[in-house]
C-alpha cells in the first residue's frame, strides 16, 4: 500500500512536470514573462507538495498548516492590526485549529454550515464591514481554519482525494488562464475579476475533463463512472471557479490587487490557494458520505 501511494505521487509528479514544462516552453515562445514566472512558481510548489504527500498525514498536515500560517499573516498585514490584537488573534486561531484536529468526524462536519454561512455573509458585506478590524478573526475562525481542518481530514479519508483536488484545480486554472488569455472575449465579471472570461471558464472545463482522464488511467485514483465524473466535473467547475471569484471580491472591497507578492506570478498564498480552500467543505461532504465513488481505500 505504501509503495502504491508513492507510485501515485510519482505519476502525479511526472504528469504535472510535463504539463508545467509545456507551459514553460509556451511562455518562452510567446515571450510572456507573467506566464514564465507563474509556471516557475508552480514548479517550486509542486516539489514541496510531493514531498509533503510522500510523508503521509504528518507531511500533508504540516504543508497545509504552513499555507494557513502564511495566509493568515498576509491577511492580517492588510489591516495593520496592533501587536496585541495580532497575538490575541493568533492564539485564538491556534486553539481553534488544535481543537479541530482533535475532534471526531461528526464535529468536523459541523464546521461546513459555518463555512457556508461565512461565505454568504461575506458576499453581503460592503466595503466598510470587510475593512472592519474584527472581520479578519471572523473570517479566519469561520472559513480559513475550518477549511484547513477539512482538508486534513480529507487526506485521512483518502490521500487520492488530495491528489485529485490539486490535479483537477490546476488543469482548470491553467487551461482557463492560458487559453482564456488567447481567446477570451466575453468578460463576465469586469469589476470583481476582470481577467476571467466565459471562454476561459469553458476551456477550464475542458482541462478538468482531461485531468479526469489522467486520474482514470496513469494516476488511477478514480474508477471510471459517468455519474461520478459528472459530479466531479460539476464540483470543480462550479466551486473551483467560485473560490477565485470569492477571494477576488474580498480583494476588491479591500482595495487591493493581491494579498501579497510572496509568490511571483500569483501574488500571495491566498491568491494561489483560494480555490483549494473554497472547494474543501463541498468536496469533503461528497467524499465523506460516499456520494463520490471510486476513491480506493
Amino acid at each position: 500500500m505504501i509503495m502504491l501511494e508513492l507510485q501515485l505521487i510519482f505519476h502525479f509528479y511526472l504528469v504535472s512536470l510535463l504539463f508545467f514544462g509545456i507551459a514553460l516552453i509556451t511562455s518562452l515562445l510567446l515571450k510572456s514573462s507573467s506566464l514564465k514566472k507563474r509556471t516557475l512558481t508552480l514548479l517550486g510548489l509542486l516539489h514541496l507538495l510531493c514531498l509533503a504527500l510522500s510523508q503521509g498525514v504528518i507531511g500533508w498536515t504540516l504543508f497545509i498548516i504552513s499555507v494557513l500560517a502564511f495566509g493568515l499573516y498576509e491577511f492580517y498585514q492588510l489591516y495593520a492590526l496592533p501587536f496585541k490584537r495580532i497575538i490575541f488573534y493568533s492564539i485564538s486561531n491556534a486553539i481553534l485549529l488544535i481543537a479541530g484536529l482533535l475532534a471526531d468526524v461528526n464535529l468536523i462536519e459541523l464546521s461546513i454550515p459555518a463555512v457556508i454561512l461565512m461565505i454568504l455573509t461575506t458576499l453581503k458585506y460592503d466595503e466598510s464591514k470587510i475593512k472592519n478590524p474584527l472581520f479578519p478573526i471572523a473570517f479566519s475562525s469561520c472559513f480559513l481554519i475550518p477549511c484547513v481542518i477539512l482538508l486534513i481530514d480529507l487526506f485521512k479519508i483518502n490521500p487520492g482525494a488530495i491528489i485529485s483536488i490539486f490535479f483537477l484545480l490546476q488543469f482548470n486554472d491553467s487551461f482557463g488562464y492560458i487559453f482564456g488569455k488567447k481567446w477570451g472575449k466575453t468578460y463576465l465579471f469586469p469589476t470583481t475579476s476582470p481577467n476571467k472570461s466565459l471562454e476561459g471558464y469553458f476551456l477550464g472545463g475542458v482541462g478538468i475533463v482531461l485531468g479526469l482522464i489522467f486520474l482514470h488511467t496513469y494516476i488511477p485514483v478514480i474508477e471510471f463512472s459517468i455519474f461520478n465524473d459528472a459530479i466531479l466535473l460539476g464540483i470543480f467547475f462550479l466551486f473551483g471557479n467560485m473560490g477565485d471569484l470569492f477571494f477576488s471580491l474580498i480583494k476588491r472591497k479591500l482595495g487591493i490587487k493581491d494579498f501579497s507578492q510572496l509568490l511571483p506570478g500569483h501574488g500571495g498564498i491566498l491568491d494561489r490557494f483560494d480555490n483549494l480552500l473554497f472547494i474543501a467543505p463541498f468536496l469533503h461532504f461528497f467524499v465523506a458520505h460516499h456520494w463520490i465513488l471510486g476513491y480506493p481505500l
Side-chain angles (χ1 to χ4, degrees):
M1 186 64 181
I2 294 176
M3 292 304 296
L4 175 62
E5 291 179 359
L6 290 176
Q7 184 180 32
L8 289 175
I9 294 169
F10 183 64
H11 285 189
F12 164 70
Y13 171 76
L14 286 181
V15 175
S16 300
L17 196 63
L18 174 63
F19 184 71
F20 292 149
I22 294 173
L24 188 58
I25 293 173
T26 302
S27 71
L28 295 175
L29 292 174
L30 298 177
K31 298 181 180 180
S32 173
S33 60
S34 60
L35 180 58
K36 180 182 177 181
K37 288 191 294 185
R38 186 181 180 90
T39 304
L40 289 174
T41 299
L42 288 173
L43 280 169
L45 291 174
L46 172 65
H47 288 83
L48 290 175
L49 173 62
C50 290
L51 176 62
L53 292 176
S54 68
Q55 301 306 306
V57 176
I58 295 177
W60 169 244
T61 300
L62 292 175
F63 177 85
I64 199 63
I65 288 179
S66 298
V67 168
L68 173 65
F70 280 106
L72 288 174
Y73 172 77
E74 64 186 17
F75 194 52
Y76 290 163
Q77 285 286 100
L78 298 173
Y79 288 83
L81 299 172
F83 181 73
K84 289 183 179 180
R85 182 170 291 186
I86 292 177
I87 294 298
F88 173 74
Y89 284 1
S90 300
I91 294 174
S92 301
N93 290 332
I95 293 173
L96 182 61
L97 178 62
I98 293 171
L101 294 176
L102 296 176
D104 62 22
V105 177
N106 293 327
L107 287 175
I108 289 174
E109 286 208 324
L110 289 177
S111 66
I112 296 179
V115 171
I116 296 174
L117 181 61
M118 187 71 239
I119 293 172
L120 296 175
T121 302
T122 302
L123 292 174
K124 292 182 179 180
Y125 275 177
D126 57 20
E127 292 183 7
S128 62
K129 291 183 178 180
I130 295 293
K131 292 180 178 180
N132 189 303
L134 292 176
F135 179 75
I137 188 64
F139 188 72
S140 60
S141 300
C142 298
F143 181 83
L144 294 177
I145 293 176
C147 288
V148 165
I149 293 171
L150 288 166
L151 284 169
I152 293 171
D153 190 65
L154 191 57
F155 187 96
K156 294 177 182 178
I157 296 173
N158 194 295
I162 301 298
I163 291 178
S164 300
I165 291 177
F166 276 99
F167 204 71
L168 295 179
L169 285 178
Q170 189 54 56
F171 267 69
N172 178 44
D173 183 61
S174 296
F175 270 64
Y177 177 82
I178 295 173
F179 297 111
K181 269 186 170 293
K182 184 174 179 60
W183 291 303
K185 296 180 180 179
T186 310
Y187 296 97
L188 302 176
F189 310 100
T191 302
T192 303
S193 189
N195 295 323
K196 301 295 183 182
S197 65
L198 179 64
E199 294 81 4
Y201 281 127
F202 279 112
L203 289 166
V206 173
I208 296 174
V209 173
L210 179 61
L212 285 170
I213 293 174
F214 276 107
L215 293 175
H216 291 320
T217 54
Y218 190 65
I219 316 171
V221 293
I222 306 175
E223 296 178 5
F224 177 73
S225 164
I226 295 178
F227 175 76
N228 192 57
D229 284 1
I231 293 179
L232 285 168
L233 177 61
I235 290 175
F236 281 89
F237 183 78
L238 180 62
F239 296 113
N241 292 319
M242 283 179 62
D244 179 72
L245 289 172
F246 177 66
F247 278 83
S248 293
L249 180 63
I250 294 176
K251 287 186 288 185
R252 297 301 171 262
K253 290 181 178 180
L254 286 172
I256 59 173
K257 183 179 182 296
D258 296 314
F259 285 103
S260 75
Q261 298 301 319
L262 182 63
L263 301 175
H266 298 271
I269 289 291
L270 294 179
D271 295 293
R272 176 61 265 171
F273 293 97
D274 50 5
N275 47 15
L276 171 69
L277 293 166
F278 193 90
I279 206 171
F282 306 102
L283 191 64
H284 183 281
F285 179 81
F286 277 88
V287 172
H289 291 274
H290 305 290
W291 288 13
I292 296 178
L293 306 176
Y295 287 98
L297 298 177

